[in-house]
PDB file of all heavy atoms in Angstrom:
ATOM      1  N   CYS M 298      93.477 136.896 141.673  1.00  0.00           N
ATOM      2  CA  CYS M 298      92.774 138.186 141.504  1.00  0.00           C
ATOM      3  C   CYS M 298      92.316 138.338 140.052  1.00  0.00           C
ATOM      4  O   CYS M 298      92.986 137.862 139.136  1.00  0.00           O
ATOM      5  CB  CYS M 298      93.707 139.351 141.813  1.00  0.00           C
ATOM      6  SG  CYS M 298      94.445 139.285 143.427  1.00  0.00           S
ATOM      7  N   GLY M 299      91.231 139.064 139.877  1.00  0.00           N
ATOM      8  CA  GLY M 299      90.776 139.478 138.545  1.00  0.00           C
ATOM      9  C   GLY M 299      90.617 138.320 137.578  1.00  0.00           C
ATOM     10  O   GLY M 299      90.004 137.290 137.878  1.00  0.00           O
ATOM     11  N   THR M 300      91.204 138.510 136.415  1.00  0.00           N
ATOM     12  CA  THR M 300      91.084 137.517 135.357  1.00  0.00           C
ATOM     13  C   THR M 300      91.619 136.155 135.796  1.00  0.00           C
ATOM     14  O   THR M 300      91.047 135.109 135.461  1.00  0.00           O
ATOM     15  CB  THR M 300      91.834 138.036 134.113  1.00  0.00           C
ATOM     16  OG1 THR M 300      91.061 139.090 133.558  1.00  0.00           O
ATOM     17  CG2 THR M 300      92.029 136.966 133.062  1.00  0.00           C
ATOM     18  N   ALA M 301      92.702 136.160 136.544  1.00  0.00           N
ATOM     19  CA  ALA M 301      93.280 134.891 136.996  1.00  0.00           C
ATOM     20  C   ALA M 301      92.290 134.161 137.903  1.00  0.00           C
ATOM     21  O   ALA M 301      92.175 132.931 137.863  1.00  0.00           O
ATOM     22  CB  ALA M 301      94.594 135.163 137.730  1.00  0.00           C
ATOM     23  N   VAL M 344      96.984 131.476 141.253  1.00  0.00           N
ATOM     24  CA  VAL M 344      97.048 131.706 139.804  1.00  0.00           C
ATOM     25  C   VAL M 344      97.459 133.161 139.567  1.00  0.00           C
ATOM     26  O   VAL M 344      96.844 134.073 140.117  1.00  0.00           O
ATOM     27  CB  VAL M 344      95.674 131.456 139.132  1.00  0.00           C
ATOM     28  CG1 VAL M 344      95.827 131.389 137.621  1.00  0.00           C
ATOM     29  CG2 VAL M 344      95.030 130.198 139.666  1.00  0.00           C
ATOM     30  N   SER M 345      98.481 133.349 138.770  1.00  0.00           N
ATOM     31  CA  SER M 345      98.923 134.727 138.529  1.00  0.00           C
ATOM     32  C   SER M 345      99.756 134.807 137.251  1.00  0.00           C
ATOM     33  O   SER M 345     100.689 134.036 137.076  1.00  0.00           O
ATOM     34  CB  SER M 345      99.756 135.202 139.716  1.00  0.00           C
ATOM     35  OG  SER M 345     100.266 136.481 139.463  1.00  0.00           O
ATOM     36  N   GLN M 346      99.396 135.716 136.398  1.00  0.00           N
ATOM     37  CA  GLN M 346     100.209 135.952 135.199  1.00  0.00           C
ATOM     38  C   GLN M 346     101.572 136.474 135.607  1.00  0.00           C
ATOM     39  O   GLN M 346     102.599 135.909 135.276  1.00  0.00           O
ATOM     40  CB  GLN M 346      99.481 136.952 134.283  1.00  0.00           C
ATOM     41  CG  GLN M 346     100.103 137.161 132.912  1.00  0.00           C
ATOM     42  CD  GLN M 346     101.359 138.013 132.911  1.00  0.00           C
ATOM     43  OE1 GLN M 346     102.400 137.606 132.362  1.00  0.00           O
ATOM     44  NE2 GLN M 346     101.324 139.162 133.539  1.00  0.00           N
ATOM     45  N   SER M 347     101.563 137.562 136.368  1.00  0.00           N
ATOM     46  CA  SER M 347     102.828 138.245 136.708  1.00  0.00           C
ATOM     47  C   SER M 347     103.639 137.491 137.751  1.00  0.00           C
ATOM     48  O   SER M 347     104.862 137.587 137.788  1.00  0.00           O
ATOM     49  CB  SER M 347     102.515 139.634 137.256  1.00  0.00           C
ATOM     50  OG  SER M 347     101.769 139.517 138.460  1.00  0.00           O
ATOM     51  N   GLY M 348     102.948 136.775 138.616  1.00  0.00           N
ATOM     52  CA  GLY M 348     103.641 136.111 139.727  1.00  0.00           C
ATOM     53  C   GLY M 348     104.071 137.096 140.800  1.00  0.00           C
ATOM     54  O   GLY M 348     104.838 136.756 141.696  1.00  0.00           O
ATOM     55  N   THR M 350     101.622 139.595 142.096  1.00  0.00           N
ATOM     56  CA  THR M 350     100.455 140.263 142.681  1.00  0.00           C
ATOM     57  C   THR M 350     100.498 140.146 144.206  1.00  0.00           C
ATOM     58  O   THR M 350     100.527 139.041 144.762  1.00  0.00           O
ATOM     59  CB  THR M 350      99.167 139.638 142.099  1.00  0.00           C
ATOM     60  OG1 THR M 350      99.248 139.774 140.685  1.00  0.00           O
ATOM     61  CG2 THR M 350      97.924 140.323 142.608  1.00  0.00           C
ATOM     62  N   THR M 353      97.942 137.941 146.129  1.00  0.00           N
ATOM     63  CA  THR M 353      98.089 136.510 145.837  1.00  0.00           C
ATOM     64  C   THR M 353      99.337 135.969 146.538  1.00  0.00           C
ATOM     65  O   THR M 353      99.334 134.867 147.099  1.00  0.00           O
ATOM     66  CB  THR M 353      98.153 136.286 144.310  1.00  0.00           C
ATOM     67  OG1 THR M 353      97.089 137.016 143.697  1.00  0.00           O
ATOM     68  CG2 THR M 353      98.029 134.832 143.939  1.00  0.00           C
ATOM     69  N   VAL M 396      97.433 145.438 129.276  1.00  0.00           N
ATOM     70  CA  VAL M 396      96.953 145.343 130.665  1.00  0.00           C
ATOM     71  C   VAL M 396      95.797 144.342 130.748  1.00  0.00           C
ATOM     72  O   VAL M 396      95.717 143.539 131.678  1.00  0.00           O
ATOM     73  CB  VAL M 396      96.547 146.747 131.186  1.00  0.00           C
ATOM     74  CG1 VAL M 396      95.694 146.635 132.432  1.00  0.00           C
ATOM     75  CG2 VAL M 396      97.797 147.569 131.471  1.00  0.00           C
ATOM     76  N   ALA M 397      94.901 144.390 129.769  1.00  0.00           N
ATOM     77  CA  ALA M 397      93.782 143.439 129.776  1.00  0.00           C
ATOM     78  C   ALA M 397      94.312 142.066 129.381  1.00  0.00           C
ATOM     79  O   ALA M 397      94.810 141.859 128.282  1.00  0.00           O
ATOM     80  CB  ALA M 397      92.708 143.888 128.805  1.00  0.00           C
ATOM     81  N   SER M 398      94.182 141.151 130.294  1.00  0.00           N
ATOM     82  CA  SER M 398      94.753 139.821 130.094  1.00  0.00           C
ATOM     83  C   SER M 398      93.884 138.978 129.159  1.00  0.00           C
ATOM     84  O   SER M 398      92.669 138.911 129.318  1.00  0.00           O
ATOM     85  CB  SER M 398      94.842 139.152 131.462  1.00  0.00           C
ATOM     86  OG  SER M 398      95.397 137.884 131.345  1.00  0.00           O
ATOM     87  N   GLN M 405      95.988 129.724 131.495  1.00  0.00           N
ATOM     88  CA  GLN M 405      95.593 129.317 132.853  1.00  0.00           C
ATOM     89  C   GLN M 405      94.462 128.282 132.755  1.00  0.00           C
ATOM     90  O   GLN M 405      94.463 127.269 133.452  1.00  0.00           O
ATOM     91  CB  GLN M 405      95.136 130.536 133.668  1.00  0.00           C
ATOM     92  CG  GLN M 405      96.291 131.443 134.077  1.00  0.00           C
ATOM     93  CD  GLN M 405      95.888 132.874 134.393  1.00  0.00           C
ATOM     94  OE1 GLN M 405      94.721 133.238 134.289  1.00  0.00           O
ATOM     95  NE2 GLN M 405      96.858 133.697 134.766  1.00  0.00           N
ATOM     96  N   LEU M 482      84.341 141.593 132.729  1.00  0.00           N
ATOM     97  CA  LEU M 482      85.524 142.321 133.213  1.00  0.00           C
ATOM     98  C   LEU M 482      86.309 142.902 132.039  1.00  0.00           C
ATOM     99  O   LEU M 482      86.745 144.059 132.064  1.00  0.00           O
ATOM    100  CB  LEU M 482      86.422 141.390 134.047  1.00  0.00           C
ATOM    101  CG  LEU M 482      87.744 142.006 134.520  1.00  0.00           C
ATOM    102  CD1 LEU M 482      87.500 143.162 135.483  1.00  0.00           C
ATOM    103  CD2 LEU M 482      88.622 140.962 135.207  1.00  0.00           C
ATOM    104  N   LYS M 483      86.458 142.061 130.986  1.00  0.00           N
ATOM    105  CA  LYS M 483      87.238 142.517 129.835  1.00  0.00           C
ATOM    106  C   LYS M 483      86.611 143.776 129.254  1.00  0.00           C
ATOM    107  O   LYS M 483      87.297 144.738 128.961  1.00  0.00           O
ATOM    108  CB  LYS M 483      87.238 141.388 128.793  1.00  0.00           C
ATOM    109  CG  LYS M 483      88.493 141.162 128.050  1.00  0.00           C
ATOM    110  CD  LYS M 483      89.644 140.525 128.746  1.00  0.00           C
ATOM    111  CE  LYS M 483      89.969 140.952 130.116  1.00  0.00           C
ATOM    112  NZ  LYS M 483      90.923 140.188 130.844  1.00  0.00           N
ATOM    113  N   GLU M 486      86.876 146.969 131.726  1.00  0.00           N
ATOM    114  CA  GLU M 486      88.190 147.553 132.007  1.00  0.00           C
ATOM    115  C   GLU M 486      88.759 148.334 130.824  1.00  0.00           C
ATOM    116  O   GLU M 486      89.520 149.270 131.030  1.00  0.00           O
ATOM    117  CB  GLU M 486      89.188 146.507 132.508  1.00  0.00           C
ATOM    118  CG  GLU M 486      89.624 145.502 131.487  1.00  0.00           C
ATOM    119  CD  GLU M 486      90.635 144.501 132.047  1.00  0.00           C
ATOM    120  OE1 GLU M 486      91.507 144.897 132.825  1.00  0.00           O
ATOM    121  OE2 GLU M 486      90.543 143.307 131.682  1.00  0.00           O
ATOM    122  N   LYS M 601      99.495 146.774 135.140  1.00  0.00           N
ATOM    123  CA  LYS M 601      99.598 145.378 134.712  1.00  0.00           C
ATOM    124  C   LYS M 601      99.958 144.469 135.872  1.00  0.00           C
ATOM    125  O   LYS M 601      99.466 143.366 135.993  1.00  0.00           O
ATOM    126  CB  LYS M 601     100.656 145.271 133.604  1.00  0.00           C
ATOM    127  CG  LYS M 601     100.830 143.872 133.037  1.00  0.00           C
ATOM    128  CD  LYS M 601      99.616 143.453 132.246  1.00  0.00           C
ATOM    129  CE  LYS M 601      99.696 142.036 131.718  1.00  0.00           C
ATOM    130  NZ  LYS M 601      98.361 141.512 131.390  1.00  0.00           N
ATOM    131  N   VAL M 603     100.131 144.226 139.869  1.00  0.00           N
ATOM    132  CA  VAL M 603      99.636 144.954 141.044  1.00  0.00           C
ATOM    133  C   VAL M 603     100.437 144.520 142.272  1.00  0.00           C
ATOM    134  O   VAL M 603     100.066 143.576 142.973  1.00  0.00           O
ATOM    135  CB  VAL M 603      98.120 144.743 141.232  1.00  0.00           C
ATOM    136  CG1 VAL M 603      97.601 145.601 142.378  1.00  0.00           C
ATOM    137  CG2 VAL M 603      97.386 145.111 139.950  1.00  0.00           C
TER     138      VAL M 603
HETATM  139  C1  F6R P 701      92.358 141.967 133.868  1.00  0.00           C
HETATM  140  C2  F6R P 701      93.612 141.606 134.493  1.00  0.00           C
HETATM  141  C3  F6R P 701      93.668 141.585 135.976  1.00  0.00           C
HETATM  142  C4  F6R P 701      94.680 140.538 136.452  1.00  0.00           C
HETATM  143  C5  F6R P 701      94.858 140.643 137.970  1.00  0.00           C
HETATM  144  C6  F6R P 701      95.817 139.595 138.495  1.00  0.00           C
HETATM  145  O1  F6R P 701      92.431 141.876 132.480  1.00  0.00           O
HETATM  146  O2  F6R P 701      94.590 141.375 133.841  1.00  0.00           O
HETATM  147  O3  F6R P 701      92.418 141.374 136.523  1.00  0.00           O
HETATM  148  O4  F6R P 701      94.233 139.269 136.090  1.00  0.00           O
HETATM  149  O5  F6R P 701      95.340 141.910 138.305  1.00  0.00           O
HETATM  150  O6  F6R P 701      97.082 139.730 137.942  1.00  0.00           O
HETATM  151  P1  F6R P 701      98.101 138.527 137.926  1.00  0.00           P
HETATM  152  O7  F6R P 701      97.538 137.475 137.053  1.00  0.00           O
HETATM  153  O8  F6R P 701      99.371 139.098 137.406  1.00  0.00           O
HETATM  154  O9  F6R P 701      98.216 138.064 139.346  1.00  0.00           O
END
Side-chain angles (χ1 to χ4, degrees):
C298 304
T300 288
V344 193
S345 176
Q346 188 285 128
S347 63
T350 303
T353 312
V396 164
S398 181
Q405 287 158 359
L482 176 64
K483 219 73 317 170
E486 69 179 321
K601 182 69 183 160
V603 185

